[in-house]
Amino acid sequence: MRVSKKPVLYSILIGLLLMTISYFFQPLMPFQSIAHRGASALAPENTLASFEKAIELGFDYIELDVRLSKDKQLVVIHDANVLRTTDGEGLIEDLTVKEIKKLDAGSWFSPAYAGERIPLLNEVLKEVSGKTGIIIEMKSPENQPGMTEILADMLNSYKPDNQIKVQSFHINEIKKFHQLAPEISAGLLLSKHLDLFHLASYREFASFLSVHHLLLSKSFINQAELFGYEIYSWTISKQYQFADMQRLGVHGIISDDEKRIPDSIIYVLITPFLKGQDFFKTLLA
């Protein structure tokens, strides 16, 4: 006796339809917008131009990276080497500020930004403080002796400004930073899951967690909120991902560009297809 497969197929299709409808009708929660290295989709990353563009667009925070120069000054740049984002070459740790300031950090992005310079952190603080919040990532502080102490000393003079936060992947350095500057909000960058034990133990020195968006789930956010964490997702590059993060209930979204309202129903309808494409790209990467 042959059993018809149609009822099973119909059940699967109905289930998928109900899941899709449920997904799209979940509320979109408000979030703090965080400009990844400034408005880096529109201006050269980690420059005053990108930070000014982020302020112009109304971002709640700018996110930037710092490294130590040869003469122990905090330089705003992501890479250890200046090759990708300037017309020069060499490691930041081998260059003095005088040498770094000679580099063109804008032409690689667009001729319109020719002559843009790599800023120092104290220059950014003077230019941006009071206009928007700032999230500072310490890049490889475990390999740059003195970075955490220098940053803590600098930011302690900005204590009245509670719009400054510091984050890093390195747990011990964030713990040290919190001890040196307890009034400045500190957080951990995460590229792997945390269990309840670690959520509880890290809360002693971290008030927020910046988590790769593919690791986030509603259950994880609910658990983290029980311990009082704010959750930021990084780094959002597709417009549909904003809605995904809002439905999860993240507190902040780190992105290269601002969120835009889809201008047609077609975009909304093809979103599942776009998500599927990205999912398979991630699996094959």
Side-chain angles (χ1 to χ4, degrees):
M1 180 178 176
R2 177 179 293 180
V3 178
S4 174
K5 296 180 179 179
K6 286 185 177 180
V8 176
L9 180 60
Y10 289 152
S11 297
I12 293 172
L13 291 174
I14 291 171
L16 290 172
L17 179 61
L18 290 174
M19 287 173 62
T20 301
I21 292 172
S22 172
Y23 173 80
F24 281 109
F25 278 93
Q26 289 179 41
L28 298 181
M29 304 300 290
F31 65 93
Q32 293 178 311
S33 56
I34 304 166
H36 181 233
R37 306 177 197 170
S40 55
L42 305 171
E45 65 179 61
N46 277 326
T47 62
L48 288 175
S50 68
F51 303 146
E52 289 163 1
K53 176 60 73 173
I55 292 169
E56 176 189 324
L57 293 172
F59 277 90
D60 298 306
Y61 284 87
I62 60 169
E63 182 266 354
L64 56 83
D65 310 283
V66 294
R67 292 181 178 275
L68 275 183
S69 65
K70 184 177 181 179
D71 43 358
K72 300 299 182 182
Q73 294 201 53
L74 289 166
V75 180
V76 179
I77 188 170
H78 178 272
D79 297 2
N81 197 306
V82 301
L83 185 62
R84 181 177 64 88
T85 57
T86 78
D87 60 348
E89 58 181 87
L91 298 175
I92 286 289
E93 64 184 16
D94 294 333
L95 299 171
T96 64
V97 166
K98 186 177 180 180
E99 292 169 323
I100 290 168
K101 282 296 185 180
K102 293 178 181 178
L103 303 176
D104 182 336
S107 293
W108 68 273
F109 186 87
S110 165
Y113 292 102
E116 191 72 27
R117 302 301 173 192
I118 296 175
L120 300 179
L121 180 59
N122 58 8
E123 294 173 336
V124 176
L125 291 173
K126 289 176 184 176
E127 184 66 29
V128 170
S129 188
K131 299 177 183 177
T132 188
I134 305 171
I135 299 178
I136 302 165
E137 179 183 347
M138 294 192 291
K139 301 299 293 185
S140 303
E142 70 279 14
N143 298 323
Q144 300 179 78
M147 174 192 279
T148 303
E149 291 84 352
I150 292 169
L151 180 59
D153 286 344
M154 180 182 292
L155 296 186
N156 276 329
S157 64
Y158 288 86
K159 280 182 181 178
D161 189 347
N162 60 7
Q163 290 292 93
I164 297 177
K165 302 175 186 284
V166 172
Q167 63 181 2
S168 177
F169 282 102
H170 200 275
I171 295 168
N172 289 335
E173 293 297 328
I174 281 295
K175 187 183 295 186
K176 183 197 298 183
F177 176 84
H178 175 71
Q179 293 168 348
L180 296 170
E183 294 185 30
I184 306 293
S185 180
L188 288 172
L189 279 154
L190 300 177
S191 55
K192 62 181 181 180
H193 288 286
L194 288 184
D195 56 29
L196 288 174
F197 172 78
H198 289 105
L199 281 173
S201 59
Y202 295 161
R203 189 62 185 89
E204 179 184 343
F205 54 88
S207 61
F208 67 95
L209 302 173
S210 292
V211 187
H212 191 283
H213 66 94
L214 291 178
L215 294 176
L216 285 168
S217 65
K218 192 71 175 176
S219 61
F220 174 80
I221 292 173
N222 289 340
Q223 289 174 352
E225 286 180 333
L226 289 176
F227 292 98
Y229 290 105
E230 286 193 336
I231 302 296
Y232 304 150
S233 62
W234 58 272
T235 297
I236 297 307
S237 58
K238 307 287 179 61
Q239 284 295 311
Y240 74 77
Q241 292 171 335
F242 282 96
D244 283 352
M245 295 300 101
Q246 286 182 269
R247 289 185 175 99
L248 288 178
V250 299
H251 303 93
I253 296 178
I254 301 172
S255 62
D256 298 326
D257 201 354
E258 60 182 332
K259 178 185 179 184
R260 295 187 296 275
I261 304 299
D263 56 6
S264 73
I265 189 64
I266 295 176
Y267 182 87
V268 175
L269 292 175
I270 67 172
T271 291
F273 172 75
L274 296 173
K275 291 174 65 175
Q277 261 193 335
D278 286 346
F279 176 72
F280 285 114
K281 285 180 184 176
T282 302
L283 285 180
L284 296 173

